[in-house]
Amino acid sequence: MIYAVLMWTSRMYLSYNSSMLKIQKQVDLRKHNTLKIAAKAAYFAIIYSKVELQEAYAWAKKKNLPIFVLGGGSNILFSQNIKALVLKNEIKGISVIKETKTAAWLEARSGEWWSTLVHFAVTHNWGGIENLYYVPGTVGAAPVQNIGAYGVELKDTFVSLLAFDLQSGKEKIFTAEECKFAYRDSVFKHKYKGRYFILSVTVKLSKNPKLKLDYGDIKAKLSEQGIKKPNIRQVAEIIRQIRDSKLPNPAVLANAGSFFKNPEISISAFKKLQLRFPEIKFFPSARPEKIKVPAGWLIEQAGFKGKRFGPVGMYENQALILVNYEGASAKQVLAQVRRVQLGVYKKFGLKIEPEVNIIN
Ligand code: EPU
């Protein structure tokens, strides 16, 4: 027991440059994905330092094995076993790399839990990411899908990231422009899918932030609590309350957050739809020629909200969230995905695409 505690503490303080790499065979990934899907990794290692990453990389190269990088597993659906060396990223740490009178630059290592970074910022009273509090997942996963919530996206504060190229073994810095951020999208979902192990992310936070309070749910909570001029901490607390009331905790009910993206359609297509469904909800898109329609609304209208199909279903308080109630297989989840897509298509003629990363 004493040994176990010592091991744990030594892990906590392990430097960026030391190694205790352990590669395991045939590891069940169920506890490494929040949808709790059973899939096996042919090889699996937890990576605590950059040196361990380099060693794992060299090992996989020698065996001619692909590497699959896993963060918090909160936005992923394993549809089959993974014939690769799966690396679970646990490289942690947050540092203030620059500070001026008006701003602070934070560099977070990629295996750090995203909300730990937000907590750190909020505690220091530095603004810009408070609306992203409690978005599940790691810092390294955040740029891959340009995480967003309540009117804020990672790209708004992002400065750069450092990544390890799994092809060449070299490091590369990516600027915001090179990341090609868009709605739940980046270059790491397309051209560079699976190519890089993100090592750290740098964000620039403001000491006098302009808080983003336009989102309907935030406005409602502020007026309910009689708060006129909220501070950063109060906004973070309100975000916690909103998420708590709408989104299921993956530790209690297995899910991967929003399962689908909100479709963006042309203004003319939207107008036609609005004639048929005058109560349709919509938002402006970042692309001026498009309108965003909430997939949660479409799925609810198509009759799926709170309805179970065997072990799966769309959550009763937020129809965009696919829940695995009891030990569903990937097949059963994928059948639900198709069922919902078809239901929405039949009613509205719109195709909704998964936001969750489906691994084939
Ligand atoms: N709506 C319904 N029924 C539902 C769900 C939603 O009618 O069952 C309506 C709501 O009333 C609202 C609109 O749809 O008018 C939008 O709903 P909500 O504000 O809950 O946001 P969302 O578009 O469903 C997006 C993100 C979430 C993020 C929230 C808050 C995507 C795919 N999802 O959801 O992100 O937390 O906005 O900003 O963009 C995630 O990515 O995992 C995630 C949870």
Side-chain angles (χ1 to χ4, degrees), residues 254-270:
N255 76 88
S258 298
F259 201 95
F260 297 96
K261 284 201 233 185
N262 291 327
E264 297 187 297
I265 60 176
S266 71
I267 295 172
S268 62
F270 175 75

Side-chain angles (χ1 to χ4, degrees), residues 80-333:
Q80 53 181 292
N81 293 336
I82 309 295
K83 295 181 205 78
L85 168 61
V86 174
L87 299 182
K88 171 83 171 72
N89 184 354
E90 293 276 353
I91 305 179
K92 291 184 192 283
I94 298 171
S95 6
V96 182
I97 55 167
K98 184 175 162 188
E99 202 180 338
T100 62
K101 272 192 187 142
T102 54
W105 284 254
L106 296 188
E107 184 185 51
R109 288 183 185 156
S110 52
E112 194 61 81
W113 202 240
W114 170 261
S115 271
T116 307
L117 174 63
V118 179
H119 184 81
F120 184 93
V122 170
T123 313
H124 284 79
N125 215 18
W126 296 335
I129 51 176
E130 56 285 346
N131 290 32
L132 301 178
Y133 209 8
Y134 288 100
V135 170
T138 56
V139 164
V144 175
Q145 60 152 349
N146 181 26
I147 56 167
Y150 310 104
V152 172
E153 288 182 334
L154 173 71
K155 74 167 172 48
D156 305 334
T157 50
F158 179 93
V159 176
S160 64
L161 64 81
L162 176 68
F164 178 88
D165 186 344
L166 294 166
Q167 247 172 43
S168 68
K170 291 196 177 119
E171 287 178 21
K172 177 175 161 56
I173 293 172
F174 284 83
T175 61
E177 202 185 320
E178 286 169 313
C179 290
K180 295 197 181 354
F181 291 126
Y183 168 58
R184 292 296 193 280
D185 207 21
S186 79
V187 73
F188 303 106
K189 276 187 153 183
H190 302 281
K191 186 175 165 200
Y192 291 146
K193 192 172 179 173
R195 165 93 179 254
Y196 288 92
F197 183 114
I198 294 172
L199 286 164
S200 64
V201 173
T202 300
V203 290
K204 180 185 172 190
L205 304 178
S206 168
K207 295 190 178 175
N208 298 299
K210 189 162 174 355
L211 301 175
K212 287 253 171 80
L213 309 171
D214 322 326
Y215 201 85
D217 285 345
I218 299 183
K219 277 191 190 159
K221 279 265 179 233
L222 286 173
S223 92
E224 193 185 298
Q225 296 175 18
I227 305 174
K228 292 221 166 70
K229 277 193 135 207
N231 58 33
I232 296 171
R233 275 168 200 252
Q234 284 170 317
V235 175
E237 170 55 17
I238 276 175
I239 298 295
R240 189 194 65 73
Q241 291 168 9
I242 298 170
R243 293 190 75 97
D244 219 32
S245 67
K246 288 202 169 170
L247 307 173
N249 178 352
V252 180
L253 259 189
N255 76 88
S258 298
F259 201 95
F260 297 96
K261 284 201 233 185
N262 291 327
E264 297 187 297
I265 60 176
S266 71
I267 295 172
S268 62
F270 175 75
K271 283 194 173 146
K272 277 187 205 149
L273 214 53
Q274 202 177 26
L275 284 176
R276 285 173 54 213
F277 304 96
E279 71 291 6
I280 191 168
K281 304 224 165 133
F282 62 97
F283 303 105
S285 154
R287 296 184 285 172
E289 73 287 4
K290 300 274 182 186
I291 299 267
K292 205 186 259 187
V293 182
W297 184 84
L298 297 168
I299 295 168
E300 176 173 353
Q301 298 301 311
F304 290 101
K305 188 172 186 171
K307 197 165 154 192
R308 270 181 75 162
F309 295 82
V312 291
M314 307 315 286
Y315 189 52
E316 57 191 358
N317 295 337
Q318 202 343 337
L320 195 51
I321 294 177
L322 192 157
V323 176
N324 174 6
Y325 291 98
E326 41 177 338
S329 64
K331 244 185 173 170
Q332 286 168 310
V333 172

Side-chain angles (χ1 to χ4, degrees), residues 11 19-29 32 40-49 51-57 59-60 65-71 82 84-91 197:
R11 273 298 189 199
S19 175
M20 287 170 72
L21 183 69
K22 197 173 123 207
I23 294 171
Q24 296 168 265
K25 265 185 174 176
Q26 293 298 322
V27 171
D28 184 357
L29 295 173
H32 297 294
K40 282 215 163 87
Y43 297 92
F44 178 87
I46 300 182
I47 299 296
Y48 293 95
S49 68
V51 167
E52 288 185 352
L53 171 62
Q54 282 157 347
E55 279 183 18
Y57 167 75
W59 184 89
L65 261 179
I67 286 180
F68 181 89
V69 184
L70 186 60
I82 309 295
L85 168 61
V86 174
L87 299 182
K88 171 83 171 72
N89 184 354
E90 293 276 353
I91 305 179
F197 183 114

